[in-house]
């Protein structure tokens, strides 16, 4: 038996229960991993609340972890006991001291990246990769708007878009977060509680608007994000921390011939090659210093409820990592 966080009933952070679970042995094509560090992501909150539907009840949340392989399934090649591996996305269940994973969904962690850094960046970093490289391909001369610019994904998006030669505009909630966003490559930072971000974007761009908006906030920013786009601009809605946006009529998209997409990482890492390419580019940018990873908050896995509360109350910046109690 190992310890894990379990959810028996949807609800607030108090729904996260610290329990004993049976992990079992890996079957063909599977590995058993002892987690060293687990990434906390807003998608975990969505599943806890029921915004996204978990495949079963009760369930163990969590979509990202780094750990050591402690057992491999029969006949498996390419992975061995002692390997350090990371995964992000499917299957859910990383809020556990140990878990069973499909061997083809993990990637090797290079020695240049420590486990806590890797766990903090797999889901967020691979998300940033597909957003700036594939959902909309950021190029020199583009102007981009990033909401929640001091958050886990936002911080990486700003750094990556800046490195690609774009002018980066970021929105944040506080002066403290504005300082971080500037350090992370934002050329212009808007504190949205103090000024209207649509007016500021139009002012910064001399009324032209931006090529792309990366919006993880949703309901509170969606309409304003559309208003910030230039003709044929891209609205990339990849999260909804403030709730789902109201339905948008096609006429709102037609007004400027806009593109609207609601992407998810899982659809950009369908094949093994896509997964390895996405993670490989991410780790290379971390190793070369293009991306500076901010692990600003660490909690014990048993304190996951406290971590969720901090995340939902916007008390965090950068990445939040859960450390399994047994690994300390």
């Amino acid at each position: 038996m190992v310890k894990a966080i379990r959810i028996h009933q949807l609800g607030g952070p108090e729904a996260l229960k610290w329990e004993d679970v049976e992990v079992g042995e890996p079957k063909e094509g599977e590995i058993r991993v002892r987690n060293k560090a687990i990434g906390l992501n807003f998608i975990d909150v969505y599943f806890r609340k029921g915004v996204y539907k978990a495949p079963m009840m009760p369930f163990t949340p969590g979509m990202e972890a780094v750990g050591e392989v402690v057992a491999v399934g029969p006949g498996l090649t390419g992975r061995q006991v002692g390997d350090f591996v990371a995964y992000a996305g499917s299957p859910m269940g990383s809020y556990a001291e140990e878990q069973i994973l499909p061997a083809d969904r993990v990637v090797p962690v290079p020695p240049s990246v420590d486990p806590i850094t890797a766990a903090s960046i797999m889901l967020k970093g691979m998300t940033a990769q597909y957003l700036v490289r594939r959902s909309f391909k950021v190029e020199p001369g583009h102007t981009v708007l990033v909401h929640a610019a001091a958050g886990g994904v936002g911080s990486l998006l700003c750094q990556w878009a800046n490195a690609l030669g774009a002018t980066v505009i970021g929105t944040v909630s506080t002066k403290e977060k504005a300082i971080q966003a500037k350090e992370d490559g934002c050329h212009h930072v808007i504190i949205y509680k103090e000024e209207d971000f649509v007016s500021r974007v139009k002012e910064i761009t001399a009324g032209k608007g931006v090529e792309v908006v990366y919006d993880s906030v949703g309901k509170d920013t969606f309409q304003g994000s559309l208003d910030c786009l230039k003709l044929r601009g891209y609205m990339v809605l990849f999260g909804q921390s403030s709730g789902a946006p109201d339905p948008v009529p096609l006429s709102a998209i037609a007004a400027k011939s806009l593109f609207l997409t609601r992407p998810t990482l899982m659809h950009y890492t369908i094949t093994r090659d896509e997964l390895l390419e996405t993670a490989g580019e991410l780790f290379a940018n971390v190793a070369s210093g293009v991306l500076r990873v901010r692990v600003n908050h660490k909690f014990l896995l048993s304190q996951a409820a406290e971590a969720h509360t901090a995340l939902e109350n916007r008390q965090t910046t950068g990445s939040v990592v859960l450390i399994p109690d047994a690994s300390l």
Side-chain angles (χ1 to χ4, degrees), residues 186-202:
C186 277
H187 301 88
H188 308 275
V189 183
I190 301 167
I191 302 175
Y192 64 81
K193 291 184 176 179
E194 298 179 5
E195 51 189 343
D196 177 61
F197 75 83
V198 178
S199 300
R200 277 291 289 133
V201 167
K202 289 183 176 173

Side-chain angles (χ1 to χ4, degrees), residues 37-41 63-66 86-89 107 109-110 113-130 152-153 155-157 159-160 265 278-287 289-295 318-321:
I38 298 151
L40 172 64
N41 297 279
M63 311 285 283
E64 171 182 48
V66 170
Y87 98 102
V107 298
V109 178
V113 181
D114 69 87
I116 289 177
T117 298
S120 75
I121 205 174
M122 276 296 290
L123 193 96
K124 301 173 192 69
M126 292 204 300
T127 296
Q129 192 275 350
Y130 87 75
V153 176
S155 167
L156 299 171
L157 276 176
Q159 295 177 60
W160 210 320
L265 172 64
T278 304
E281 187 173 359
L282 169 63
F283 286 142
N285 278 345
V286 172
V290 168
L291 297 177
R292 181 173 63 247
V293 184
R294 295 178 179 272
V295 184
S319 295
V320 184
V321 170

Side-chain angles (χ1 to χ4, degrees), residues 93 97 103-104 165 212 239 244 248 265 292:
E97 291 175 337
D104 64 356
V212 60
V248 56
L265 172 64
R292 181 173 63 247

Side-chain angles (χ1 to χ4, degrees), residues 61-278:
M63 311 285 283
E64 171 182 48
V66 170
E68 182 181 357
V69 177
V70 292
V72 299
L76 185 69
T77 59
R79 292 270 73 85
Q80 59 187 21
V81 171
D83 285 353
F84 266 92
V85 296
Y87 98 102
S90 181
M92 197 185 335
S94 66
Y95 283 28
E97 291 175 337
E98 296 187 13
Q99 67 184 128
I100 301 291
L101 290 170
D104 64 356
R105 298 311 297 170
V106 305
V107 298
V109 178
S112 58
V113 181
D114 69 87
I116 289 177
T117 298
S120 75
I121 205 174
M122 276 296 290
L123 193 96
K124 301 173 192 69
M126 292 204 300
T127 296
Q129 192 275 350
Y130 87 75
L131 288 173
V132 299
R133 302 285 285 148
R134 291 186 282 163
S135 270
F136 174 85
K137 196 171 176 62
V138 174
E139 295 177 348
H142 285 160
T143 303
V144 309
L145 174 61
V146 178
H147 287 302
V153 176
S155 167
L156 299 171
L157 276 176
C158 293
Q159 295 177 60
W160 210 320
N162 182 306
L164 290 169
T167 297
V168 183
I169 306 171
T171 70
V172 297
S173 59
T174 67
K175 286 185 172 66
E176 292 75 21
K177 290 184 177 182
I179 293 169
Q180 179 188 305
K182 273 281 192 186
E183 291 174 356
D184 285 340
C186 277
H187 301 88
H188 308 275
V189 183
I190 301 167
I191 302 175
Y192 64 81
K193 291 184 176 179
E194 298 179 5
E195 51 189 343
D196 177 61
F197 75 83
V198 178
S199 300
R200 277 291 289 133
V201 167
K202 289 183 176 173
E203 185 182 320
I204 292 165
T205 62
K208 294 176 184 173
V210 300
E211 270 84 6
V212 60
V213 178
Y214 292 113
D215 190 336
S216 62
V217 178
K219 189 177 181 67
D220 292 351
T221 53
F222 186 80
Q223 186 56 53
S225 294
L226 292 179
D227 294 341
C228 288
L229 288 166
K230 59 167 46 174
L231 287 175
R232 303 196 305 272
Y234 277 70
M235 173 67 189
V236 183
L237 181 74
F238 68 97
Q240 50 191 53
S241 60
S242 68
D246 295 327
V248 56
L250 284 176
S251 56
I253 304 297
K256 291 189 284 187
S257 293
L258 301 177
F259 296 86
L260 168 62
T261 181
R262 178 60 175 90
T264 179
L265 172 64
M266 291 58 149
H267 294 155
Y268 282 81
T269 53
I270 291 288
T271 67
R272 178 75 179 160
D273 285 346
E274 284 179 332
L275 175 64
L276 291 173
E277 184 179 345
T278 304

Side-chain angles (χ1 to χ4, degrees), residues 7-16 41-57 59 61 92 240 243-244 262 308 312:
I7 294 176
H8 295 265
Q9 194 166 353
L10 302 176
E14 70 281 355
L16 300 166
N41 297 279
F42 222 98
I43 194 171
D44 305 342
V45 174
Y46 296 156
F47 277 109
R48 192 201 73 220
K49 287 181 169 180
V51 175
Y52 294 167
K53 186 172 171 51
M56 65 184 74
M57 290 288 286
F59 67 96
M92 197 185 335
Q240 50 191 53
R262 178 60 175 90
H308 274 229
E312 288 184 272

